[in-house]
Each structure stands twice: as structure tokens, then as C-alpha cells.
Amino acid sequence: MLHRTVQDVMTQEVATVRRDAPFKTIAQLLAGNDVTAVPVVDGQYRPIGIVSDSDLLRKEQVQPEPEGRSPIPWLHPRDRARAEAETAEGLMSTQVCTARPEWSVVEAARTMDHQHVKRLPVVNDSGTLVGIVSRGDLLRVFLRHDTAIREEIVHDVLQHTLYLAPDAVRVDVLDGVVTLRGEVQRKSTLPIVLRLCRTVDGVVAVHSQLRYTFDDAGEVEPAKVHGIL
């Protein structure tokens, strides 16, 4: 039971530019490849920056309105320099957050969230670019078919990890939402079942209607309904 990795979902054919790429070439590359950003690479194909459509649009900010009707907005000197740049070297953001192919999609998603970025160039051990992963790529795990999700929960979680009897827990999946019905022996097993089911790629939520036979934190009690979480 493993999370899909960055290598499973990343784009391997990456549009890139060198630091001397002209503004218009970059704009054409973004439009022609239907992407919103391209990595800037050095001679060893290592990412040294990223140019996004936002970087290109910054140039619009410093353009005066016809007949001077609107003043040019104030910009920080660094931002103004980037707005007036003509090549990738001047336009790019040099703070590049990267991912590794073996990362789980969870690790990549957390990195994007913490760094407030929409994409991560993927590099190998030598720092060479081998792909790029975007938020959209990570969302693909939620496109998994309900049948595939159910099979992974039944076989990998319930039977092979928790060693539950095949008829102990009934699993239903609809649009990624998992509903568990049935009975387990010990109350302490319930949170483990729920936690492991939530870790399966493509699961949106887990609802539990599981009962337990024994309260292993106290006395033996009749079967109880755990409730929907």
C-alpha cells in the first residue's frame, strides 16, 4: 500500500529555456505548449529559475496608458527591473523549489502549499531536470476509479495489512467517498482502519458505520455503532 509518486504523475517532456531566451520566445513557448511557466536551465540542464506568465504580465504594469491618462504604477526596484527585462535571466524567479521523482504525491502537495508555488521542477540525484509536476498533476489521484479504490482498500488495507476476514467489513465507494460497514473484534482497531483507508490515493472521505465486539480499553461490551466521521 504505497502512495503514487511524483514520477507517476509528472510531465516528463518539459518545455525549457536558457537564460538568454528573449521575452517573445518565452511568450510563444508558453502559448504553444499551453503551460503557464517554464523552467530556465543551465548548460547541464539544471533548473536555475522559472519564468511564469505572471512574470511576463508584469511588463504590462509598466506600460503607460495611451496619451498618458494613467500613471505608471510604483514598483519595487527589483520588480521594476524584472518588468523591464528582455530575457529569461532578468524575468525569472531564481528561488526554485524542486521535487524528487521518488517523493509521494502527498510530499509534493505539502511542499507546494508550504512554498506557495503552483509547480515543482523534478530533479534527479545530480540536480538534472527530469520532469515537472503541477497542482493539476497531483489532483489526478482523485480521478482514480471507485473500483480501483475499493480493491486497494479491501485487499491491501483490510486483508493484507490488518488481516481482517474478507466478510468482516463491507466497503462501498462512490465518487471517492468510502463507506465502511461491518464489525471488527476490538475497538482499538477502528481508528487504525479509518486512518489507513484515508491514506489510499483517491479517497475523498471515509464514513464509518463499523461496530466492535470488545472494548479492549475496558470491559467487554455489546457491539456498538461507531458513527459517521
Side-chain angles (χ1 to χ4, degrees):
M1 187 177 65
L2 297 173
H3 281 296
R4 275 62 185 168
T5 65
V6 167
Q7 187 167 7
D8 294 329
V9 299
M10 72 182 186
T11 299
Q12 298 186 30
E13 299 295 327
V14 186
T16 62
V17 295
R18 296 296 179 91
R19 63 176 75 230
D20 60 349
F23 180 101
K24 191 168 184 177
T25 297
I26 301 170
Q28 291 172 336
L29 193 63
L30 294 180
N33 289 274
D34 194 25
V35 294
T36 58
V38 291
V40 184
V41 296
D42 63 14
Q44 284 72 50
Y45 210 60
R46 296 174 301 196
I48 58 174
I50 289 184
V51 179
S52 70
D53 51 5
S54 297
D55 297 320
L56 300 187
L57 288 172
R58 189 180 287 111
K59 188 172 288 292
E60 292 290 336
Q61 292 181 264
V62 299
Q63 301 298 321
E65 292 287 342
E67 302 176 0
R69 290 177 300 181
S70 176
I72 299 175
W74 183 90
L75 291 175
H76 189 281
R78 180 181 61 250
D79 292 330
R80 179 168 291 279
R82 290 177 65 186
E84 295 175 347
E86 300 178 17
T87 64
E89 185 170 22
L91 293 161
M92 69 184 185
S93 171
T94 56
Q95 294 183 343
V96 185
C97 300
T98 60
R100 299 295 297 274
E102 65 272 16
W103 281 11
S104 71
V105 293
V106 173
E107 189 171 3
R110 286 174 178 167
T111 299
M112 286 188 192
D113 182 58
H114 293 163
Q115 299 298 328
H116 305 290
V117 295
K118 298 179 180 179
R119 64 197 66 82
L120 296 169
V122 184
V123 298
N124 60 18
D125 291 339
S126 62
T128 301
L129 185 72
V130 295
I132 193 166
V133 62
S134 68
R135 291 177 179 177
D137 295 326
L138 299 182
L139 286 174
R140 290 180 192 170
V141 298
F142 292 105
L143 300 179
R144 292 187 72 198
H145 197 280
D146 289 341
T147 301
I149 295 172
R150 181 184 180 279
E151 288 178 353
E152 184 169 343
I153 290 175
V154 171
H155 298 294
D156 293 356
V157 175
L158 301 180
Q159 296 181 14
H160 297 161
T161 301
L162 298 176
Y163 302 104
L164 297 179
D167 58 349
V169 176
R170 174 184 167 186
V171 180
D172 295 305
V173 184
L174 179 63
D175 294 332
V177 177
V178 178
T179 301
L180 305 174
R181 299 179 178 89
E183 183 172 311
V184 297
Q185 269 198 317
R186 299 181 180 275
K187 181 180 180 180
S188 61
T189 304
L190 293 174
I192 299 173
V193 172
L194 299 179
R195 176 171 55 82
L196 291 180
C197 287
R198 290 191 184 106
T199 65
V200 172
D201 286 336
V203 170
V204 175
V206 179
H207 295 175
S208 174
Q209 298 178 20
L210 293 174
R211 304 182 303 274
Y212 59 87
T213 305
F214 300 105
D215 184 349
D216 49 355
E219 298 180 355
V220 176
E221 298 180 1
K224 293 183 178 180
V225 175
H226 186 62
I228 296 179
L229 301 183

